[in-house]
Amino acid sequence: MHELNLVDVQKRYKEKDAVIGFTFTFTNGVYGLLGENGAGKTTLMRLICGILQPTNGSITCDNIRISDMGAEYRQLLGYLPQNFGYYGDFTAVRFLNYMAALKALPRDYAKGRVEELLELVDLKDVKNKKLKTYSGGMLQRIGIAQALLNEADILILDEPTAGLDPKERVRFRNIISSLGKKRIVLLSTHIVSDIEYIADCILMMKNGELIRQGTENEVIADVQGYVWKCVVPECEVQGLNEKYVVSNLRNSGENVELRIVSDIQPMKNAEITEATLEDAYLYYTQVLGGKNNAVV
């Protein structure tokens, strides 16, 4: 088992800090990296992959700086960027063999590994079809397969479920869940449901900073008592929406049922309701330190 350790990692672009003081230790398991677009998730992942170098701080693997490990670190790493490149006229088999050659894997080993991975991602029946005929979900599964060709112990997945339909999303999550038992899997997303049931640890980022970490239960526990349910006339909805973080609304006859995330009771008839991970995400990213009635 490997240990990936980030200490006070910062990445600055001219006058903007994309990542600020990120400190965390990864061991085997699935880590869900939550944050809005622009929160610094992709920059952090590129730092972990060694594509970018930190402005300050250190990233070590088993107490050795990854910048000093070179090819040894790359052999441990599997990376699926948000938009990975592929050749549409290649079949799945040809593409994976091509990627194996780029990773300098022995030909005999690569042949067996490709077949093994096609079965893992459930694409063996269509392995000889061209990638340009694949759906978005099928391409993402090929992306996972190429990231695992070298039996990666550290798997980095950047927004891997973007654009997938619900069925493909579930299939993808099940694959990721099984992979996390024997390796470090870091999955970034702004879609809470992608990691709600599979992440061993939730990491939330905002404006380049790690603002909350913990298991799903730990993260949710901190916002119990800050989620409210109330029924209001439709004419009051806009005003409440402007003043509070409304996580959900549902029409109920002439009235509207609102779910509000707030550290104060939004109105007299509002009742506390059970919090979810999505509520916690909204609380940490939009209520605390934000414009919405924050009490810091």
Side-chain angles (χ1 to χ4, degrees):
M1 182 173 71
H2 297 284
E3 182 176 281
L4 186 63
N5 194 30
L6 284 70
V7 178
D8 202 24
V9 171
Q10 177 197 29
K11 181 60 180 178
R12 166 164 286 213
Y13 295 106
K14 295 183 179 178
E15 301 302 316
K16 177 178 173 58
D17 286 319
V19 175
I20 306 169
F22 196 102
T23 297
F24 192 78
T25 298
F26 297 91
T27 54
N28 283 6
V30 178
Y31 298 83
L33 184 60
L34 273 176
E36 299 171 331
N37 291 331
K41 304 189 302 298
T42 294
T43 299
L44 178 70
M45 292 185 142
R46 290 168 69 86
L47 287 165
I48 291 173
C49 290
I51 299 169
L52 299 174
Q53 298 302 312
T55 307
N56 288 302
S58 66
I59 304 175
T60 60
C61 180
D62 302 331
N63 297 315
I64 304 172
R65 285 182 179 267
I66 63 171
S67 56
D68 295 334
M69 294 177 69
E72 182 184 355
Y73 181 67
R74 290 193 294 275
Q75 288 173 0
L76 299 176
L77 195 67
Y79 179 43
L80 176 59
Q82 189 170 355
N83 297 300
F84 83 98
Y86 65 92
Y87 297 100
D89 285 328
F90 279 22
T91 64
V93 170
R94 185 182 177 192
F95 175 72
L96 290 177
N97 277 306
Y98 169 74
M99 294 301 294
L102 291 181
K103 296 184 181 189
L105 299 180
R107 182 174 295 182
D108 289 343
Y109 168 81
K111 183 178 179 181
R113 183 64 176 159
V114 165
E115 291 297 320
E116 179 185 338
L117 289 171
L118 285 168
E119 186 166 353
L120 173 70
V121 298
D122 197 22
L123 290 174
K124 202 165 186 178
D125 292 342
V126 291
K127 65 181 183 179
N128 293 315
K129 291 189 176 182
K130 292 185 177 181
L131 296 183
K132 64 184 178 183
T133 68
Y134 278 22
S135 68
M138 294 164 75
L139 288 172
Q140 289 296 72
R141 282 185 270 150
I142 280 291
I144 290 182
Q146 65 81 27
L148 289 169
L149 277 167
N150 57 335
E151 299 193 63
D153 291 323
I154 302 171
L155 188 60
I156 309 296
L157 308 172
D158 191 0
E159 298 278 0
T161 61
L164 301 191
D165 63 37
K167 183 179 178 180
E168 283 288 4
R169 219 179 217 107
V170 170
R171 187 198 297 264
F172 194 92
R173 288 200 300 259
N174 290 341
I175 292 172
I176 300 307
S177 182
S178 66
L179 292 174
K181 297 174 183 177
K182 296 182 180 180
R183 54 179 56 82
I184 296 169
V185 179
L186 179 57
L187 163 65
S188 87
T189 184
H190 60 277
I191 303 170
V192 175
S193 61
D194 282 351
I195 60 173
E196 193 167 12
Y197 301 108
I198 64 170
D200 301 300
C201 183
I202 308 292
L203 307 175
M204 293 187 187
M205 287 189 75
K206 181 177 181 180
N207 298 328
E209 295 185 87
L210 177 62
I211 59 171
R212 185 65 174 95
Q213 64 188 60
T215 65
E216 179 184 1
N217 288 338
E218 288 170 344
V219 170
I220 292 174
D222 286 352
V223 300
Q224 296 291 4
Y226 297 151
V227 185
W228 309 83
K229 183 171 66 175
C230 55
V231 178
V232 300
E234 188 174 353
C235 61
E236 296 181 16
V237 172
Q238 184 174 346
L240 289 168
N241 207 20
E242 292 173 354
K243 190 176 181 181
Y244 299 101
V245 174
V246 177
S247 64
N248 197 15
L249 61 84
R250 182 175 60 185
N251 289 318
S252 178
E254 296 180 355
N255 296 319
V256 179
E257 183 180 299
L258 298 179
R259 186 181 183 91
I260 294 175
V261 182
S262 169
D263 41 23
I264 61 174
Q265 186 179 24
M267 56 194 310
K268 285 185 178 180
N269 72 339
E271 299 177 352
I272 290 175
T273 189
E274 194 77 11
T276 66
L277 182 59
E278 185 171 36
D279 295 322
Y281 173 59
L282 291 171
Y283 180 80
Y284 284 109
T285 59
Q286 295 190 35
V287 177
L288 279 184
K291 64 181 180 179
N292 295 287
N293 58 288
V295 177
V296 181

